[in-house]
Amino acid sequence: MNRPANDNETNARSRNGPEFSGALEGLKVLGVNDLSRYQAAVEAGQQKSWGYYFPFLLTRNRTGRNAILVVEDEGSLCVFNWKRANGIPRLDLAFAPLPLNPAVLRRCIERANEFNGDRSARVMRIDAKDVDAVRETSLRPRESRQQFIFAPKTYEDLGGKAFKTVRRNVALVDRLANVEVLPFSTSHAKDCHALLVNWKKAHREAFGSSGGAGTSRRAINFVGTLPESILRGEVVFVDGRLVAFAFGGEIRPGLACSFERKCDTSIPGLGYFQLRSLFRSFGGVEMINDGTDTGREGLRQLKTSFRPIEMHVEYRARQGSLRRSDR
């Protein structure tokens, strides 16, 4: 079965990437130097989902375990997810080609099927607007998750009944001594990592999982390697102690991503204060995608209290029976 020639090279920071063969021929590992063509593809496709955020894809590159692979086909950017699970490598589409072309999508699925040696290849993320075009192929889309879309300009004064819960929680932090919000710099990285260790421990005790702490750790390390419009952060100090960090940036013009947020959950209202502060930092952007609630009731309550302007539906797809004309 074909696989990356050298797993030790499959990381986003490699300059040229490994040489692939067989079903992977022509693919390369997504890296920082792919930003321009990737952003152009997302803008052309007018994508909206959180998972299209470029820094998120970079954090998926994990040596020997996972790699985001890309290639162009008929003007569309094809993005694959290579992973090794239990010692067995497999290939799926991270999402449908950008912009979506059903013929290109069919070829991508054929490539992944060839690599996997069966018909198990999937499309992991499909924007709602693309789902009808995906149905033109042999794929069977189904709703996967809903994501919260907010309008950042809404959160300047928090007036009115609608934002009573947010206003009350933000006030809890405003009343604390020596609250300071600063742009993230590399000098804050050590304290952010220390906060993350404690947050991960508390989250595992409460929910039985790390809550994506690995992605947060890699995001901290990526800040500074990309333009600030794509990835920037801010930190919150209370009485000289770093108690929260948040990162985000542009998915495409007019749409930002609230990427990673972690805070000291023992401080009442801090999650609300942090989210409102991040939203205000994107005041010039029309919309911001804050992802899902990860199935957590408390997180759902927090996000709902900010009155999303839309719940964006994302799909994933498996294969159905191929028509003879598609074989």
Side-chain angles (χ1 to χ4, degrees), residues 13 55 66 98 106 117 121 139 187 202 221 255 270 275 281 287 291 303:
R13 297 177 185 272
N66 207 91
L98 304 172
R106 291 188 187 98
L139 296 168
S187 66
N221 296 333
L255 175 67
L270 184 56
L275 185 56
S281 75
M287 295 180 294
K303 293 190 178 189

Side-chain angles (χ1 to χ4, degrees), residues 120-140:
S120 65
R122 303 161 293 176
V123 184
M124 306 308 294
R125 294 176 183 270
I126 304 167
D127 260 359
K129 70 177 185 59
D130 293 330
V131 74
D132 288 339
V134 169
R135 290 193 177 103
E136 295 178 18
T137 70
S138 61
L139 296 168
R140 298 178 298 187

Side-chain angles (χ1 to χ4, degrees), residues 28-315:
K28 71 176 292 289
V29 178
L30 184 76
V32 171
N33 59 344
D34 293 303
L35 174 62
S36 294
R37 71 166 175 164
Y38 179 82
Q39 292 298 114
V42 171
E43 185 174 1
Q46 286 295 288
Q47 308 308 138
K48 203 169 190 177
S49 288
W50 185 94
Y52 291 101
Y53 184 49
F54 185 75
F56 166 69
L57 295 176
L58 293 182
T59 67
R60 307 315 295 162
N61 287 316
R62 304 175 66 187
T63 303
R65 298 176 60 182
N66 207 91
I68 300 298
L69 309 176
V70 295
V71 68
E72 291 186 16
D73 186 346
E74 283 191 32
S76 292
L77 187 66
C78 307
V79 185
F80 294 86
N81 187 80
W82 177 94
K83 69 179 297 183
R84 186 188 298 278
N86 300 319
I88 301 174
R90 67 168 288 116
L91 192 68
D92 293 297
L93 275 76
F95 30 75
L98 304 172
L100 182 58
N101 178 325
V104 173
L105 176 56
R106 291 188 187 98
R107 289 196 289 272
C108 289
I109 289 293
E110 290 169 3
R111 182 195 284 263
N113 283 340
E114 180 185 350
F115 180 87
N116 296 332
D118 56 28
R119 291 175 49 82
S120 65
R122 303 161 293 176
V123 184
M124 306 308 294
R125 294 176 183 270
I126 304 167
D127 260 359
K129 70 177 185 59
D130 293 330
V131 74
D132 288 339
V134 169
R135 290 193 177 103
E136 295 178 18
T137 70
S138 61
L139 296 168
R140 298 178 298 187
R142 63 176 179 82
E143 184 175 326
S144 175
R145 52 178 69 88
Q146 293 192 3
Q147 299 167 352
F148 292 77
I149 306 292
F150 298 96
K153 65 181 181 181
T154 307
Y155 307 106
E156 286 301 321
D157 60 17
L158 297 180
K161 183 178 179 180
F163 294 117
K164 179 180 178 180
T165 298
V166 178
R167 190 166 60 247
R168 183 179 69 249
N169 280 277
V170 167
L172 294 176
V173 179
D174 280 335
R175 288 196 291 265
L176 298 176
N178 301 320
V179 177
E180 189 175 20
V181 180
L182 297 173
F184 174 88
S185 76
T186 54
S187 66
H188 299 132
K190 182 179 179 180
D191 286 341
C192 287
H193 282 297
L195 172 64
L196 183 60
V197 169
N198 293 330
W199 185 94
K200 177 182 176 181
K201 179 181 178 181
H203 192 277
R204 189 173 293 281
E205 291 174 352
F207 303 103
S209 73
S210 65
T215 298
S216 295
R217 183 178 65 253
R218 292 186 287 275
I220 294 169
N221 296 333
F222 265 116
V223 178
T225 66
L226 294 163
E228 285 193 2
S229 62
I230 302 300
L231 180 61
R232 66 179 185 267
E234 65 177 33
V235 292
V236 180
F237 285 84
V238 173
D239 204 18
R241 182 171 66 93
L242 191 148
V243 296
F245 63 81
F247 301 105
E250 183 180 280
I251 296 175
R252 58 172 171 81
L255 175 67
C257 175
S258 169
F259 180 35
E260 280 295 317
R261 297 193 315 276
K262 298 292 186 286
C263 71
D264 183 341
T265 56
S266 69
I267 301 177
L270 184 56
Y272 290 83
F273 179 92
Q274 178 189 35
L275 185 56
R276 191 251 184 147
S277 179
L278 182 66
F279 283 171
R280 293 177 73 188
S281 75
F282 286 102
V285 174
E286 180 183 353
M287 295 180 294
I288 187 166
N289 188 324
D290 193 52
T292 72
D293 57 30
T294 67
R296 289 165 47 199
E297 180 60 35
L299 186 57
R300 182 182 305 115
Q301 181 180 351
L302 183 151
K303 293 190 178 189
T304 300
S305 70
F306 276 85
R307 308 301 182 187
I309 60 171
E310 177 187 341
M311 295 301 295
H312 174 67
V313 180
E314 186 178 270
Y315 293 77

